[in-house]
Amino acid sequence: NAAPIKSALSKIAFGNVAGATVTVKVPKDLCIVPGGEIDVPVMVENPQALRALFLRLQDDPDELELVAGSSRCTGRTSGFSCGANEVSEGNRINLAVINTADKVIAAGAGAVVTFRLRDKGVACAPGAPITLGLSQLVVADPENQPLPAAAENGSVMCGCTGPTQTATPVETARATVTPTPS
């Protein structure tokens, strides 16, 4: 049976981290203009490889809604399926990051999925915070075994003074100029 060997190799490669906690969080400093939209990254700090992640996000008060089809995997989850759907009863969004091949999320820290929220209905009140609470967190290791996990809630402030912050890194192209001899 290869499972014990694979488990032992995993402990050697990542150190003995079987009891280490995976931390899942969303930023606490997001900002949205009334009636606007915001990109929300889900950040994961994992001391060992992961196969899957499931969680529920709830906004309080119920000001925001999921923009359909907006969930995207990041570079950390290339080759995974990253989905989000809003539960019909209201302000709960289910998120899943699932292995679609024989891939894992490598040990490390950073965003694993992003999704877009929209201020819905009556515009949010400027200066009012909106809590982004995380719950029902399930994290699985490469052998599909649950790992200890902790969630850190985030927040969105209504009423930005500038452009909407996304907290999603934007990659820019950089040109290299090589001087020509004269």
Side-chain angles (χ1 to χ4, degrees):
N1 186 351
I5 295 170
K6 190 173 182 182
S7 177
L9 289 174
S10 175
K11 288 177 183 173
I12 291 168
F14 299 108
N16 193 359
V17 292
T21 300
V22 174
T23 303
V24 180
K25 58 187 171 182
V26 291
K28 296 178 193 270
D29 60 352
L30 297 174
C31 186
I32 190 168
V33 294
E37 295 182 349
I38 182 82
D39 290 327
V40 179
V42 175
M43 313 294 285
V44 175
E45 295 173 12
N46 53 308
Q48 71 181 66
L50 305 177
R51 179 175 297 264
L53 165 74
F54 303 92
L55 65 97
R56 177 169 279 172
L57 180 132
Q58 185 168 351
D59 61 318
D60 184 29
D62 183 13
E63 294 277 350
L64 308 172
E65 67 184 352
L66 178 68
V67 174
S70 66
S71 63
R72 300 282 180 260
C73 293
T74 68
R76 291 192 73 203
T77 50
S78 177
F80 278 65
S81 173
C82 298
N85 70 301
E86 191 154 10
V87 178
S88 60
E89 296 93 55
N91 63 335
R92 295 186 311 248
I93 297 169
N94 294 321
L95 291 155
V97 178
I98 303 169
N99 177 339
T100 57
D102 193 23
K103 297 186 180 233
V104 296
I105 302 170
V112 295
V113 63
T114 62
F115 60 95
R116 183 166 281 231
L117 295 176
R118 167 186 309 127
D119 184 17
K120 65 179 181 179
V122 176
C124 61
I130 303 165
T131 300
L132 300 177
L134 301 178
S135 64
Q136 298 185 9
L137 181 60
V138 177
V139 179
D141 72 7
E143 286 79 35
N144 291 325
Q145 297 302 307
L147 291 170
E152 293 183 18
N153 296 339
S155 64
V156 177
M157 182 62 68
C158 180
C160 302
T161 56
T164 303
Q165 298 173 6
T166 63
T168 303
V170 177
E171 294 183 23
T172 56
R174 295 183 183 188
T176 303
V177 178
T178 306
T180 55
S182 41

